[in-house]
Amino acid sequence: MASLITCPHCGVRPKEEFTIKGDAAPVRPAASASDKEWHDYVYLRDNPMGRYRELWHHLNGCRRFLVVERDTVSHEVYSVQDAAAFRQGGSE
């Protein structure tokens, strides 16, 4: 059985419609940030096991960016929300 993701805009959709963009937590540094801050932002990422928030793009649907909280081991999905709402709510 295919894995399904519940898009807040399109409803239940197969995971193949989405692309994973990585960790949902990093915030882009200011243009005036140091080279070290930019290096860390671009190249350094955690790769945890367990529950994790990721930025997903619903490429073959509404084309919105979503924050998907899932278990990286079992692939169980706990929540899905619009990325704009995630940023406005200050969720971390």
Side-chain angles (χ1 to χ4, degrees):
M1 180 171 191
S3 296
L4 301 173
I5 303 294
T6 303
C7 174
H9 306 285
C10 304
V12 178
R13 308 300 302 168
K15 73 172 174 42
E16 290 78 19
E17 289 189 4
F18 301 85
T19 56
I20 300 174
K21 298 296 185 179
D23 186 358
V27 176
R28 185 182 176 96
S32 60
S34 70
D35 287 345
K36 181 182 180 342
E37 289 174 289
W38 276 104
H39 175 273
D40 291 354
Y41 171 75
V42 173
Y43 296 108
L44 301 181
R45 296 285 191 250
D46 292 332
N47 189 16
M49 290 179 62
R51 209 164 172 155
Y52 193 57
R53 287 188 181 131
E54 298 169 314
L55 188 63
W56 288 34
H57 185 213
H58 193 178
L59 188 61
N60 297 328
C62 61
R63 301 187 61 82
R64 299 289 304 240
F65 283 90
L66 308 171
V67 174
V68 176
E69 184 177 12
R70 71 177 183 102
D71 189 300
T72 60
V73 177
S74 69
H75 303 290
E76 178 181 353
V77 174
Y78 299 104
S79 67
V80 180
Q81 63 179 313
D82 189 89
F86 175 79
R87 288 287 180 222
Q88 289 174 355
S91 298
E92 295 258 351

